[in-house]
Amino acid sequence: MSERDVILSAKDVEVQFQVRGRILTAIRGISLDIYEGETIAIVGESGSGKSVFTKTFTGMLETNGQISNGSVIFEGKDLTKLKKDQDWEGIRGAKISTVFQDPMTSLNPVRTIGYQIAEVIIKHQKKSKDEAKKLAIKLMEEVGISDAANRYDEYPFQYSGGMRQRIVIAIALACHPKILICDEPTTALDVTIQAQILKLIKDLQKEYGYTTVYITHDLGVVANVADRVAVMYAGQIVEIGKAEEVFYTPKHPYTWALLSSLPQLGIKGEDLYAITGTPPSLYDKVVGDAFAPRNPYAMQIDFEEEPPMFKVSDTHYAKTWLLDPRAPKAEPPKAIQNLHKRLLSITDERGDYRG
Ligand SMILES: Nc1ncnc2c1ncn2[C@@H]1O[C@H](COP(=O)(O)OP(=O)(O)OP(=O)(O)O)[C@@H](O)[C@H]1O
Ligand SMILES: [Mg+2]
């Protein structure tokens, strides 16, 4: 993977919001290279900054927010320098497209499904109305709508939630984006439908050749389709690696906690592990490791000094003092040992696959 081209490079990104005269630092210095053609999953609990971080790729921060430091390089341009809507033309919704996984908010209830897809094709691919209709029907078929020609003239309310989600993906693909960001809200679709949607995105990637950034709070959903996983906590990436590294040899105690709270992994007769406490307030300067107060493995230094990103392998990094050579050896919780074998059995049940 390392020899692949970097399609987007974020460096030292910091994002701040003005909230009633106070400053909330939502993103606290993230550097991330995204490789062309990969599927990278960004995981973390609600409020960790997944959406805010990826909104810097499309200039969609709310008006009370600003990128207070860092750069986001895409096609030789620093996206953090683009201010006006017209600067974003040709990038947002064209080369970098976001699928919000709440289809009702992205579809227009009073326009037919077909119209909404064709409209994008006419705009971005400069096709005639007839050609656009043909292409729209083809796209509907590709995203798994059966009887697409007849359903072209139906309205969003006539589609099920899972099918509306497929339409939103079709609309995003209609402009042939280079990067597809899929942002899952906390109130997610049912896990099985999510797995199907993710598989669809993976399948279509071969034909369309986009790079996928998949945002979720459920590590279980991305286990079988992500090439890499980045774990976020309190506005930072705390662990990143190839999917198998993060799942089978996780190093950060927060990743351990996320993995052990997966319901799919519950061990019979044992209580499900729950992460106690809450993340720190982002209004105040965070001292030490942001996860320390909730970390059963925390040492004195965790409360005093911020850990650096320690290198585990060329592709795997984790931001925890446990990786300092001077730290005592810590064993991950029992619930996540032998994860390899147990995840494989989940995979079989769901019929997921790794492409
Ligand atoms: N417009 C805003 N004004 C003030 N604070 C904001 C704004 N948007 C986001 N935040 C704050 O930034 C932090 C990160 O929010 P973000 O929406 O990125 O979280 P998330 O990881 O996407 O969570 P979820 O899983 O719930 O979608 C949170 O503390 C949130 O309250
Ligand atoms: Mg979000």
Side-chain angles (χ1 to χ4, degrees), residues 181-243:
I181 301 170
C182 305
D183 192 343
E184 166 213 90
T186 353
T187 51
L189 287 171
D190 157 322
V191 173
T192 339
I193 296 185
Q194 255 201 71
Q196 288 169 6
I197 296 286
L198 197 49
K199 181 175 182 316
L200 172 73
I201 291 169
K202 187 90 185 180
D203 286 344
L204 292 174
Q205 202 170 27
K206 292 191 192 84
E207 181 185 339
Y208 287 86
Y210 47 79
T211 301
T212 311
V213 180
Y214 198 90
I215 297 175
T216 179
H217 59 275
D218 186 346
L219 260 172
V221 170
V222 294
N224 303 296
V225 280
D227 299 310
R228 285 197 304 154
V229 174
V231 178
M232 280 192 66
Y233 187 78
Q236 295 181 326
I237 290 179
V238 296
E239 179 154 16
I240 183 164
K242 290 186 181 175

Side-chain angles (χ1 to χ4, degrees), residues 17 19 24 26 45-52 62 64 184 186 282:
F17 291 102
V19 187
L24 181 150
E45 68 199 309
S46 187
S48 56
K50 306 179 296 292
S51 299
V52 168
E62 285 78 12
N64 65 327
E184 166 213 90
T186 353
L282 296 173

Side-chain angles (χ1 to χ4, degrees), residues 64-105:
N64 65 327
Q66 59 149 342
I67 300 169
S68 37
N69 191 33
S71 58
V72 177
I73 307 294
F74 174 73
E75 295 190 336
K77 266 198 201 119
D78 183 354
L79 302 182
T80 65
K81 300 279 187 286
L82 307 185
K83 301 287 179 227
K84 295 187 290 278
D85 275 350
Q86 76 209 57
D87 298 339
W88 282 99
E89 233 170 77
I91 298 178
R92 178 201 301 150
K95 286 185 172 165
I96 307 180
S97 207
T98 308
V99 172
F100 291 103
Q101 293 181 271
D102 180 6
M104 265 333 231
T105 58

Side-chain angles (χ1 to χ4, degrees), residues 10-264:
K11 202 154 176 26
D12 302 325
V13 173
E14 184 185 89
V15 176
Q16 295 186 322
F17 291 102
Q18 293 275 355
V19 187
R20 282 175 246 109
R22 296 175 74 194
I23 290 175
L24 181 150
T25 308
I27 301 301
R28 303 187 299 124
I30 295 187
S31 295
L32 174 68
D33 281 343
I34 296 177
Y35 300 109
E36 189 156 7
E38 75 169 333
T39 297
I40 182 166
I42 300 183
V43 298
E45 68 199 309
S46 187
S48 56
K50 306 179 296 292
S51 299
V52 168
F53 176 53
T54 51
K55 278 178 184 171
T56 65
F57 305 173
T58 51
M60 291 205 309
L61 286 178
E62 285 78 12
T63 47
N64 65 327
Q66 59 149 342
I67 300 169
S68 37
N69 191 33
S71 58
V72 177
I73 307 294
F74 174 73
E75 295 190 336
K77 266 198 201 119
D78 183 354
L79 302 182
T80 65
K81 300 279 187 286
L82 307 185
K83 301 287 179 227
K84 295 187 290 278
D85 275 350
Q86 76 209 57
D87 298 339
W88 282 99
E89 233 170 77
I91 298 178
R92 178 201 301 150
K95 286 185 172 165
I96 307 180
S97 207
T98 308
V99 172
F100 291 103
Q101 293 181 271
D102 180 6
M104 265 333 231
T105 58
S106 9
L107 292 173
N108 183 338
V110 301
R111 290 287 189 185
T112 65
I113 294 286
Y115 176 92
Q116 297 186 53
I117 305 173
E119 187 187 27
V120 179
I121 296 174
I122 292 167
K123 182 173 170 216
H124 288 277
Q125 299 183 37
K126 313 256 180 299
K127 301 282 182 192
S128 72
K129 252 178 134 175
D130 284 350
E131 280 174 306
K133 179 169 181 177
K134 271 193 209 121
L135 287 169
I137 292 173
K138 177 173 170 270
L139 254 173
M140 287 171 71
E141 284 164 354
E142 283 177 339
V143 298
I145 306 294
S146 49
D147 200 17
N150 284 321
R151 307 211 62 178
Y152 186 88
D153 291 318
E154 289 184 353
Y155 290 87
F157 76 88
Q158 293 170 286
Y159 279 57
S160 70
M163 277 167 48
R164 282 196 290 261
Q165 183 65 73
R166 288 167 189 269
I167 296 302
V168 173
I169 292 167
I171 292 173
L173 295 186
C175 58
H176 290 205
K178 299 221 158 150
I179 301 178
L180 188 67
I181 301 170
C182 305
D183 192 343
E184 166 213 90
T186 353
T187 51
L189 287 171
D190 157 322
V191 173
T192 339
I193 296 185
Q194 255 201 71
Q196 288 169 6
I197 296 286
L198 197 49
K199 181 175 182 316
L200 172 73
I201 291 169
K202 187 90 185 180
D203 286 344
L204 292 174
Q205 202 170 27
K206 292 191 192 84
E207 181 185 339
Y208 287 86
Y210 47 79
T211 301
T212 311
V213 180
Y214 198 90
I215 297 175
T216 179
H217 59 275
D218 186 346
L219 260 172
V221 170
V222 294
N224 303 296
V225 280
D227 299 310
R228 285 197 304 154
V229 174
V231 178
M232 280 192 66
Y233 187 78
Q236 295 181 326
I237 290 179
V238 296
E239 179 154 16
I240 183 164
K242 290 186 181 175
E244 48 280 26
E245 291 172 321
V246 173
F247 279 97
Y248 308 146
T249 55
K251 298 296 180 194
H252 199 289
Y254 178 62
T255 313
W256 295 350
L258 277 184
L259 284 168
S260 22
S261 58
L262 284 180
Q264 300 95 315

